[in-house]
Amino acid sequence: MMESEMEKGRPYQEKPRTFSTVRSKSSIPLVFRVLMKINPRALIVLLLLVVCGVFYLGASTSPIIVFVFCICTLSLFFSLYLTKWVLAKDEGPPEMSEISDAIRDGAEGFFRTQYGAISKMACILALVILFIYLFRTTTPQQEASGLGRTTSAYITVIAFLLGAVCSGLAGYVGMWVSVRANVRVSSAARRSAREALQIAVRAGGFSAIVVVGMAVFGVALLYATFYVWLGVDSPDLMKVTDLPLLLVGYGFGASFVALFAQLGGGIYTKAADVGADLVGKVEQGIPEDDPRNPAVIADLVGDNVGDCAARGADLFESIAAEIISAMILGATMAQRCKIEDPSGFILFPLVVHSFDLVVSSVGILSIRGTRDSGLISPIEDPMAIMQKGYSITILLAVLTFGGSTRWLLYTEQAPTAWFNFALCGLVGIITAYAFVWISKYYTDYKHEPVRLLALSSSTGHGTNIIAGVSLGMESTALPVLVISVAIISAFWLGRTCGLVDELGNPTGGLFGTAVATMGMLSTAAYVLTMDMFGPIADNAGGIVEMSQQPESVREITDILDAVGNTTKATTKGFAIGSAALASFLLFSAYMDEVAAFAQLPFKEVDIAIPEVFVGGLLGSMLIFLFSGWACSAVGRTAQEVVTEVRRQFIERPGIMDYKEKPDYGRCVAIVASASLREMIKPGALAILSPMAVGIIFRILGHATGQPLLGAKVVASMLMFATVTGILMALFLNTSGGAWDNAKKYIETGALGGKGSEAHKAAITGDTVGDPFKDTAGPSIHVLIKMLATITLVMAPIFL
């Protein structure tokens, strides 16, 4: 059969063995494999016991924690409903299923190897943290509560490892659903554009609900466990206001895994993408995701490990870091103001994100399918449909946020304070909407910036690059102005809420900023849904192209893919905005922690001191060096892919006529091994730099009679790295997204369409933008939050 098809020059259809070179053993995590071997009845009993234990912990802590556990449990059932609904859809003809299986095998194989390497590094770092905490000093508050060095060390290590495990699970969930939904979206595109959209959104929604739910549940469970274990609020024991600082290790563990997941996945996906595009599109003139391209399976696998798994871990650690930092600041303010029951101020972030699960679920369900088939008309623009769902989610978020502030932040000392904090939340929600709109404006080809970028391609490759770089630089202005207004507005709303300390000084400013950050992330589950939609649609388009479906089907997936590029860009803008606000909060928490350990006031950082200024300079340099190493890692790996793809086209000339089969597995193996190797250097730089700087300047400080010098220099480094990182990430994310959609705009038929000189120039821009928007840019989001959490965890060694 195979020979006769080759002789006729038709596309080969070797069903069972076409992608056998990519296959690997299943990547189901060990814990799930063990659970699957347990008798179903015994498993149900075990689960009931676990649930009862969890709710007992909650009831022993606070009714608010019980409420949070209830919402998380309901959201779990909702995510199971979404899974069942998506998996009930058909996988299409056998050729589609075959390609999907190959993508799934490649993604799961890489995931297992990557997370195996990350887990080993996490265990080594956990031992380092344990060693540091066993020999560090303790604060007077910890000594008074009987929390010794050993207990503190084990608590921090347990929190770190739990954060790392949950972050890894968040990544696995993101990838698990995407590799199963892609083929179902492809199949639905043969019938209806709206149905394909609905499946992609609900698949993304499953991942988003699980990721946010896990972040909320993890922090709540850790808080309740420590509350009961340490006998918090009992006489002569730890006060509840000191408890949130013990959770910092959880945020650090989540950030650690997310950084390496984002780096490794980003290098994988973009090296494969660049290699496939440069040789396939530019040199050979074949379409994107053409089955003749040897790097096409590696490219499609990369969408899942880079965009889905890594983004799941990224958003998980964003929410975890923001919850913990807001809990710390709420506890600090409640302590200063002598509020009788501070639990409302401490647990407020958990309640906000519990309502996020509810309102985002409504937003996801608001996107329904229709029976109409064919192309989405201009009225049925996928972006407009998702924006409608986002608007519903935001409206509900405003109502639930207001109710939460009245419920938890009302205090007799300042009866109107809750209203000020509700306004702070509204500032955050408006900021989130502004970020989504700004990102859409600069990356959607319906708007002028991307169309002008596409027009610049008609005069050559160089003008395309110049236009893309300038667009990226320009796009940093509006977001920075929005963040600036948000921080100052929220700070002053909080400061004027009426809450004062013993000396009559207003104390609500920083907590007001924390509430604004919560407001910004109060729709995080829906925003993550829009983000996950992108790679699922991209994969669906690849499966349609490889299985050689009619052009009308590919047109539908192309529209969804272009919208997916915009939603990914908006999510990155959202992520960097929330990272900026969360880092500001963590920076404040770091200064409070240093003051507690040193027993000295530490309220400001003077950059006029030479050593402190140098720390800031090193922080800015760190961002540029990290970005450079991340991009060069993609470049080096892409060169290996380009060389391999060229070799296959030369040695197997029958590939172009469908007479020979490409070796897909070879390209998968190249990018998998290279990405694991290349992620180590930038990742190690991010972790070791603040520790090295803090220790060196601590020694210098003691030698020159400046006891807090190490802590001050690290604070300066953190501050400058955050500011530089925000700008760099905005530039990289927006320029990369704009280059990609400029290419998509030309592929719709504008400026000569596919194969034109303008199209080739746009492909060059797209390949330059690939490591910008999917490797270096998203990694910086994680980097600036990880710098903040690592300085919190390691603060004692800087003193």
Side-chain angles (χ1 to χ4, degrees):
M1 176 69 179
M2 184 71 182
E3 288 176 4
S4 63
E5 283 185 352
M6 285 182 180
E7 285 165 9
K8 294 174 185 175
R10 291 206 310 266
Y12 52 82
Q13 298 291 334
E14 187 186 0
K15 297 287 186 282
R17 299 188 302 277
T18 305
F19 305 104
S20 57
T21 47
V22 195
R23 292 197 173 270
S24 62
K25 64 181 180 180
S26 175
S27 163
I28 299 171
L30 179 63
V31 64
F32 293 136
R33 292 205 298 272
V34 170
L35 289 174
M36 285 163 68
K37 292 178 182 178
I38 299 175
N39 181 281
R41 289 182 182 178
L43 186 61
I44 290 169
V45 172
L46 183 66
L47 286 172
L48 283 173
L49 287 172
V50 169
V51 169
C52 290
V54 166
F55 275 91
Y56 171 77
L57 277 176
S60 304
T61 307
S62 166
I64 301 168
I65 292 288
V66 175
F67 171 78
V68 170
F69 283 157
C70 287
I71 296 292
C72 289
T73 305
L74 291 173
S75 68
L76 174 65
F77 284 114
F78 177 66
S79 65
L80 290 174
Y81 160 74
L82 290 179
T83 313
K84 187 177 179 183
W85 188 90
V86 170
L87 296 182
K89 299 294 179 180
D90 70 285
E91 295 188 4
E95 56 268 24
M96 280 188 175
S97 302
E98 186 185 332
I99 297 160
S100 174
D101 289 345
I103 295 167
R104 179 162 59 214
D105 288 337
E108 292 182 342
F110 177 73
F111 184 91
R112 183 181 64 252
T113 310
Q114 182 192 26
Y115 276 77
I118 293 172
S119 62
K120 289 172 188 170
M121 291 187 284
C123 289
I124 293 168
L125 187 55
L127 291 173
V128 171
I129 293 170
L130 182 66
F131 179 80
I132 289 169
Y133 270 63
L134 285 174
F135 294 98
R136 75 171 196 168
T137 56
T138 53
T139 64
Q141 294 95 322
Q142 288 174 334
E143 288 172 3
S145 63
L147 189 67
R149 289 180 184 175
T150 306
T151 309
S152 178
Y154 285 116
I155 281 174
T156 306
V157 169
I158 289 168
F160 172 80
L161 290 174
L162 182 63
V165 168
C166 288
S167 187
L169 275 174
Y172 178 78
V173 165
M175 184 208 66
W176 186 90
V177 69
S178 66
V179 295
R180 287 160 177 79
N182 52 16
V183 69
R184 290 167 170 84
V185 175
S186 303
S187 178
R190 296 176 306 143
R191 298 185 295 274
S192 159
R194 186 70 179 258
E195 185 188 348
L197 170 69
Q198 188 186 18
I199 293 171
V201 168
R202 289 198 171 189
F206 159 74
S207 178
I209 295 292
V210 171
V211 166
V212 176
M214 207 185 310
V216 175
F217 182 79
V219 176
L221 181 63
L222 207 58
Y223 178 90
T225 304
F226 290 162
Y227 187 96
V228 174
W229 177 25
L230 301 172
V232 173
D233 274 352
S234 301
D236 301 323
L237 290 176
M238 176 179 278
K239 293 179 180 177
V240 71
T241 49
D242 296 326
L243 185 56
L245 263 176
L246 300 179
L247 307 176
V248 169
Y250 185 86
F252 180 33
S255 299
F256 177 83
V257 170
L259 180 70
F260 282 100
Q262 189 67 70
L263 274 172
I267 292 166
Y268 186 111
T269 183
K270 290 303 112 180
D273 196 0
V274 169
D277 282 355
L278 286 178
V279 184
K281 285 185 181 178
V282 178
E283 294 181 9
Q284 299 295 331
I286 57 178
E288 186 169 1
D289 301 327
D290 191 286
R292 293 168 291 181
N293 194 325
V296 68
I297 289 289
D299 183 11
L300 295 172
V301 167
D303 290 335
N304 297 289
V305 298
D307 287 334
C308 292
R311 197 77 72 252
D314 180 359
L315 261 292
F316 174 87
E317 70 89 26
S318 286
I319 293 162
E322 178 266 327
I323 289 173
I324 292 165
S325 59
M327 289 173 83
I328 291 169
L329 291 173
T332 304
M333 189 189 71
Q335 195 171 21
R336 287 177 183 165
C337 298
K338 304 293 183 187
I339 292 171
E340 282 186 21
D341 181 14
S343 60
F345 287 85
I346 296 169
L347 300 176
F348 180 64
L350 292 172
V351 172
V352 168
H353 285 292
S354 298
F355 279 123
D356 171 18
L357 291 167
V358 176
V359 300
S360 296
S361 298
V362 175
I364 291 162
L365 290 176
S366 71
I367 297 174
R368 297 181 174 275
T370 63
R371 295 181 181 179
D372 300 333
S373 60
L375 264 174
I376 296 178
S377 65
I379 301 169
E380 290 287 286
D381 172 26
M383 193 69 203
I385 294 167
M386 283 192 284
Q387 286 278 51
K388 182 185 173 187
Y390 186 48
S391 299
I392 292 169
T393 306
I394 278 191
L395 180 64
L396 292 172
V398 170
L399 297 174
T400 55
F401 203 97
S404 303
T405 52
R406 179 64 181 83
W407 172 28
L408 297 171
L409 303 185
Y410 178 82
T411 173
E412 293 292 339
Q413 289 168 248
T416 59
W418 71 269
F419 185 70
N420 278 44
F421 290 129
L423 292 177
C424 291
L426 187 61
V427 166
I429 292 170
I430 292 169
T431 302
Y433 196 83
F435 259 86
V436 168
W437 185 86
I438 291 165
S439 300
K440 180 174 175 288
Y441 174 72
Y442 279 109
T443 56
D444 192 335
Y445 63 59
K446 293 185 183 66
H447 301 291
E448 189 181 24
V450 173
R451 296 204 173 198
L452 289 175
L453 176 56
L455 186 62
S456 70
S457 305
S458 59
T459 51
H461 301 249
T463 49
N464 172 279
I465 300 299
I466 293 167
V469 169
S470 60
L471 183 150
M473 289 179 172
E474 180 193 320
S475 70
T476 61
L478 281 176
V480 167
L481 291 173
V482 169
I483 291 173
S484 304
V485 170
I487 289 175
I488 293 170
S489 302
F491 184 86
W492 282 103
L493 279 168
R495 191 176 176 83
T496 56
C497 71
L499 286 169
V500 293
D501 62 13
E502 290 174 311
L503 301 174
N505 299 316
T507 58
L510 279 175
F511 188 67
T513 314
V515 173
T517 311
M518 287 180 251
M520 186 167 187
L521 284 167
S522 63
T523 55
Y526 191 86
V527 173
L528 182 56
T529 299
M530 291 199 295
D531 182 75
M532 291 290 184
F533 164 84
I536 292 171
D538 193 355
N539 251 211
I543 292 170
V544 165
E545 182 68 44
M546 287 197 72
S547 59
Q548 296 166 345
Q549 299 299 311
E551 187 63 27
S552 59
V553 180
R554 180 69 208 200
E555 284 174 14
I556 288 173
T557 55
D558 277 350
I559 290 172
L560 296 178
D561 186 14
V563 170
N565 280 335
T566 304
T567 59
K568 285 194 288 183
T570 57
T571 309
K572 287 165 190 165
F574 176 87
I576 198 62
S578 62
L581 290 170
S583 297
F584 177 70
L585 304 181
L586 289 164
F587 179 76
S588 305
Y590 166 74
M591 294 179 77
D592 286 343
E593 188 182 12
V594 169
F597 275 107
Q599 290 301 291
L600 293 167
F602 187 44
K603 296 184 180 295
E604 55 191 30
V605 180
D606 186 358
I607 60 170
I609 299 170
E611 294 91 343
V612 177
F613 179 77
V614 167
L617 203 57
L618 290 172
S620 294
M621 176 273 292
L622 172 64
I623 298 297
F624 277 85
L625 184 60
F626 176 86
S627 302
W629 282 0
C631 289
S632 65
V634 174
R636 282 191 297 273
T637 310
Q639 286 172 355
E640 293 182 45
V641 176
V642 166
T643 303
E644 171 61 24
V645 174
R646 283 174 176 164
R647 182 193 67 76
Q648 290 199 34
F649 276 127
I650 291 167
E651 294 180 5
R652 303 183 180 191
I655 288 175
M656 288 301 290
D657 300 323
Y658 297 98
K659 293 179 180 177
E660 287 185 81
K661 182 179 70 174
D663 183 358
Y664 301 107
R666 178 69 190 138
C667 289
V668 170
I670 287 171
V671 288
S673 61
S675 57
L676 292 172
R677 181 179 68 247
E678 296 282 2
M679 76 178 183
I680 303 296
K681 190 167 76 167
L685 174 75
I687 293 163
L688 299 176
S689 295
M691 295 167 66
V693 167
I695 292 168
I696 290 167
F697 280 96
R698 172 193 175 181
I699 295 166
L700 185 63
H702 283 295
T704 57
Q706 302 176 76
L708 285 181
L709 186 64
K712 287 178 180 176
V713 171
V714 169
S716 176
M717 182 184 192
L718 179 58
M719 191 188 300
F720 278 67
T722 301
V723 170
T724 309
I726 291 164
L727 293 168
M728 178 68 90
L730 285 169
F731 162 69
L732 294 173
N733 290 336
T734 310
S735 56
W739 266 317
D740 196 347
N741 269 352
K743 178 198 72 176
K744 288 278 192 301
Y745 176 60
I746 293 172
E747 287 174 351
T748 62
L751 303 170
K754 293 181 181 180
S756 65
E757 290 303 313
H759 186 228
K760 290 179 180 178
I763 291 168
T764 302
D766 181 32
T767 54
V768 172
D770 276 339
F772 279 28
K773 68 182 173 69
D774 287 322
T775 309
S779 297
I780 293 173
H781 309 166
V782 188
L783 172 65
I784 61 178
K785 282 171 289 186
M786 199 190 74
L787 288 173
T789 51
I790 196 171
T791 50
L792 266 174
V793 172
M794 300 296 183
I797 68 172
F798 306 146
L799 301 171

